[in-house]
Amino acid sequence: MMLLNSLASLYFLAAVAFAVPAQEKRIHHQPDLSDHAHDDAHSFQYDHEAFLGKEEAKTFDQLTPEESKDRLAKIVDRIDTDKDGYISHGELHYWIKHRQRRYIEENVNKHWKDYDKNQDNKISWEEYKNTTYGYYLGEEFDDIDDKETYKSMLKRDERRFKMADRDSDGIATREEFTAFLHPEEFDYMKDLVIQETVEDIDKNGDGKINLEEYIGDMYTAEDGESEPDWVQTEKKHFSEIRDTNKDGYLDADEVGQWVLPGEVDHADNEAKHLIHETDTDKDGRLSLPEILDKMDFIKTSTITDYGGMRVDGRDEL
């Protein structure tokens, strides 16, 4: 039974709320470079994961210092595509983007085998529906406490599946299934991303988001708790930045500008940041000694976070 997978699909667009600042959890920059907030004042974990890949970062921390240096040297050699002994901004930017793409591919592959029951290298809506909701379909969710939520999930999954299914044949190719799992990566799915975001936050059902709903999606005050400073900042952002027509609401166009800021290249920004922090001789590129000299920075930063690099002897960088 795959109800948990459906929950993951339903709420994927909300990002990882416990790991990113609440005020940024709705924004779909590209696949997250890291689950960690990018705050060098407190931690370099974001940069560590961006450079190595998320899975690699987890295993990297288990190595001895010498093993870490050896493995990092191999990664640096892979990033240095022109083999001049240095990592340029372009090479680092390409590497981070590569890790983003790799993460999406691996995520799709992980789910593919769960749903392609007849192994025809396609996933039909019936396969997905029966695998995810199977037992509960016949019972109309009667034995589930919050059955209306599950009915809504089924309806929403079907709408997203049909939107991803470009030829409307009821069967998803691998690319279409990727669009189903990662709609923010596909231009033809972006209206749906916006629609789902509005539906999640719009509690009164008027089709737009007011300030109370906007803040309520990020923060709920506990009894006796003082409001954090960032909440006040977000209120200002709502009125001064997000609400562009100043009518007191976010409509679909304004929500799109908020959650899908496509003009921002975060991989490019992260590459620049990593070079700035690690380039001790300020020549605009990174050498292996510079990277090894900042080993603590790398091991707690985004250089290695995105998508499944392993330290098991297989060179899957």
Side-chain angles (χ1 to χ4, degrees):
M1 202 56 56
M2 306 300 295
L3 276 171
L4 289 178
N5 282 343
S6 182
L7 281 168
S9 173
L10 178 63
Y11 295 110
F12 175 83
L13 297 177
V16 188
F18 67 85
V20 287
Q23 62 269 37
E24 295 195 14
K25 69 177 182 174
R26 289 277 170 191
I27 302 176
H28 305 288
H29 301 303
Q30 279 116 26
D32 291 333
L33 296 177
S34 172
D35 288 335
H36 295 273
H38 196 171
D39 182 4
D40 290 343
H42 296 91
S43 171
F44 292 120
Q45 188 67 23
Y46 183 96
D47 305 285
H48 177 45
E49 294 182 351
F51 187 82
L52 294 173
K54 288 182 181 177
E55 296 303 317
E56 177 72 357
K58 293 175 184 176
T59 54
F60 222 80
D61 294 335
Q62 301 168 4
L63 301 177
T64 66
E66 288 306 312
E67 289 172 332
S68 295
K69 289 181 180 180
D70 180 66
R71 189 60 178 174
L72 188 55
K74 292 178 180 178
I75 293 171
V76 168
D77 185 63
R78 290 295 300 273
I79 300 173
D80 178 23
T81 55
D82 64 8
K83 305 305 177 188
D84 66 350
Y86 297 93
I87 295 178
S88 66
H89 168 268
E91 288 170 330
L92 188 53
H93 177 247
Y94 178 83
W95 174 257
I96 294 172
K97 295 286 284 187
H98 164 70
R99 300 315 306 171
Q100 292 175 336
R101 292 189 298 269
R102 179 71 172 270
Y103 167 74
I104 290 175
E105 291 170 4
E106 292 182 351
N107 180 255
V108 171
N109 290 340
K110 181 174 66 176
H111 289 93
W112 188 266
K113 63 180 180 294
D114 293 329
Y115 295 109
D116 183 18
K117 293 302 184 182
N118 63 4
Q119 298 183 339
D120 64 350
N121 207 34
K122 298 177 182 178
I123 295 174
S124 69
W125 166 245
E126 291 300 315
E127 281 180 308
Y128 177 84
K129 180 179 67 174
N130 291 333
T131 302
T132 303
Y133 299 97
Y135 166 78
Y136 297 97
L137 289 172
E139 303 294 328
E140 283 297 308
F141 304 105
D142 286 338
D143 59 347
I144 297 177
D145 291 338
D146 191 5
K147 65 179 181 180
E148 292 305 317
T149 296
Y150 285 94
K151 288 181 179 180
S152 175
M153 287 169 56
L154 174 59
K155 183 178 179 181
R156 182 160 162 164
D157 273 354
E158 184 174 15
R159 181 182 66 190
R160 189 193 283 194
F161 193 97
K162 288 180 176 179
M163 181 69 74
D165 178 19
R166 300 195 77 170
D167 58 7
S168 301
D169 64 354
I171 298 173
T173 62
R174 189 171 290 268
E175 181 176 1
E176 290 170 336
F177 192 63
T178 302
F180 173 71
L181 292 179
H182 299 274
E184 71 286 349
E185 292 299 301
F186 293 80
D187 286 340
Y188 77 97
M189 297 290 287
K190 288 186 177 180
D191 286 345
L192 182 68
V193 173
I194 295 168
Q195 181 180 359
E196 290 184 355
T197 302
V198 172
E199 290 173 350
D200 286 344
I201 305 175
D202 172 28
K203 301 307 180 186
N204 64 14
D206 64 356
K208 51 191 177 182
I209 299 171
N210 60 36
L211 177 60
E212 181 180 356
E213 291 167 334
Y214 175 81
I215 296 299
D217 181 60
M218 306 175 187
Y219 173 74
T220 301
E222 301 291 339
D223 291 340
E225 181 184 16
S226 60
E227 191 173 82
D229 290 341
W230 69 260
V231 174
Q232 287 298 320
T233 300
E234 277 302 313
K235 288 179 178 179
K236 289 185 63 176
H237 285 173
F238 180 93
S239 60
E240 296 177 7
I241 301 173
R242 313 264 189 245
D243 180 19
T244 57
N245 63 8
K246 308 304 178 187
D247 66 350
Y249 300 92
L250 302 187
D251 58 27
D253 287 340
E254 290 165 330
V255 170
Q257 293 172 31
W258 167 34
V259 301
L260 295 170
E263 74 282 357
V264 179
D265 187 342
H266 291 269
D268 178 68
N269 289 341
E270 180 59 14
K272 291 176 181 176
H273 169 72
L274 288 165
I275 290 176
H276 175 76
E277 294 295 332
T278 311
D279 179 23
T280 54
D281 64 7
K282 304 304 177 185
D283 64 353
R285 56 188 183 173
L286 302 181
S287 65
L288 179 59
E290 284 175 324
I291 291 172
L292 295 180
D293 187 56
K294 295 293 184 75
M295 178 67 72
D296 289 340
F297 168 73
I298 297 303
K299 289 185 67 176
T300 51
S301 86
T302 325
I303 285 191
T304 54
D305 172 29
Y306 208 83
M309 293 186 294
R310 299 175 177 87
V311 291
D312 59 3
R314 290 183 296 166
D315 193 16
E316 291 192 34
L317 305 183

